[in-house]
Amino acid sequence: MLTPGGSVTHLLRDAAGTSARAWQYTELMQLVVEDFESMAPVILNPNGVPMNDEEFVAFCQQYEDCFVECTAEGEIIIMPPNFSRTGKQNSKIIIRLGVWAEKDGRGEVYDSSAGFRLPNGARRSPDASWIRKDRVAALPKKQQEGFYHLCPDFVIELRSSTDRINRLKAKMEEYIANGAELGWLIDPEERAVWVYRPGRAAECIVNPERIPGEGPVAGFVLELADVWA
């Protein structure tokens, strides 16, 4: 629930309405949030080991209208849907990346609804990502039909007006540390693109008209006029 000062707290209860202390992820739980108008993420700190794939699915099914991620430390992050404008901007990015990927043929594109379990155990859903087909083909059959246990080769995060930039930068660094070869953090409010590469400091490009791909997505060029609009 939201306190008068605007900070976010949370309350977990079991089906009987009593406070839950030690709990299993597969139990029926209810998150009580009195006001989600702030669009702030709710971070839960459960007492227990990180979820396996089946437990994570069961938990997410209780919050079908929200985005759910999990940190490497087991913290669960529940986020409300994006504002409509952010969804429009992200669709432009997905379309352009998808058109290029179809012509290129080496990999496939995933949108923000796709979840990945990173090597460090975190469960993330980038706003857009690209993965080489041979990496997917090498996964066990069960993973190919569920959550991929890998980090995409290329990731994009799009900052919405409610996102804290430091949190997004930390996610980008996590992607690179877990195997991403290239990452873009796109900030429409500041008209800036932060480019992340392994072994190098992030590069900030201010007010670019387009951003060229490199490394795994060399040849891809993202025109930014629609994203800045």
Side-chain angles (χ1 to χ4, degrees):
M1 62 187 74
L2 282 177
T3 64
S7 61
V8 178
T9 60
H10 58 270
L11 176 63
L12 282 176
R13 292 199 178 101
D14 59 19
T18 57
S19 296
R21 291 174 293 177
W23 55 278
Q24 300 295 319
Y25 298 108
T26 51
E27 289 181 358
L28 178 61
M29 308 297 292
Q30 181 181 6
L31 176 68
V32 180
V33 181
E34 292 185 349
D35 184 358
F36 237 153
E37 289 298 319
S38 69
M39 299 296 288
V42 176
I43 302 177
L44 311 183
N45 296 279
N47 296 318
V49 298
M51 304 181 192
N52 60 33
D53 287 356
E54 290 74 20
E55 291 168 338
F56 187 67
V57 169
F59 185 89
C60 292
Q61 286 174 339
Q62 299 177 52
Y63 308 105
E64 294 179 347
D65 294 331
C66 299
F67 296 106
V68 181
E69 292 186 325
C70 182
T71 69
E73 295 72 33
E75 290 183 334
I76 303 165
I77 304 171
I78 303 177
M79 297 165 284
N82 286 322
F83 287 138
S84 303
R85 182 188 178 204
T86 301
K88 180 189 73 171
Q89 292 167 327
N90 202 56
S91 71
K92 300 293 185 181
I93 294 171
I94 290 289
I95 290 171
R96 283 160 175 69
L97 183 58
V99 169
W100 171 82
E102 286 291 325
K103 294 179 180 178
D104 179 76
R106 294 176 298 121
E108 295 189 340
V109 174
Y110 300 80
D111 66 13
S112 60
S113 65
F116 304 97
R117 179 169 181 171
L118 306 187
N120 69 351
R123 298 176 184 276
R124 298 296 188 184
S125 298
D127 288 323
S129 57
W130 179 94
I131 306 173
R132 297 196 318 268
K133 292 178 180 179
D134 62 293
R135 293 187 66 206
V136 177
L139 293 173
K141 187 66 173 178
K142 184 177 181 180
Q143 286 187 31
Q144 292 185 35
E145 297 174 351
F147 295 114
Y148 296 173
H149 288 203
L150 54 70
C151 183
D153 300 281
F154 172 54
V155 294
I156 298 175
E157 289 285 357
L158 176 65
R159 185 188 184 189
S160 71
S161 58
T162 58
D163 284 328
R164 294 182 178 179
I165 190 66
N166 288 339
R167 184 178 68 86
L168 290 178
K169 287 180 177 179
K171 285 178 68 174
M172 299 304 298
E173 292 170 358
E174 181 181 53
Y175 291 136
I176 296 298
N178 279 268
E181 298 178 47
L182 180 68
W184 293 346
L185 170 53
I186 301 175
D187 186 348
E189 296 300 317
E190 300 295 331
R191 291 199 170 209
V193 178
W194 290 84
V195 181
Y196 289 78
R197 309 174 181 91
R200 298 170 59 180
E203 176 188 5
C204 182
I205 304 173
V206 179
N207 201 29
E209 295 182 359
R210 62 189 59 83
I211 185 77
E214 56 190 83
V217 291
F220 171 57
V221 177
L222 177 62
E223 299 289 340
L224 290 165
D226 289 336
V227 178
W228 298 155

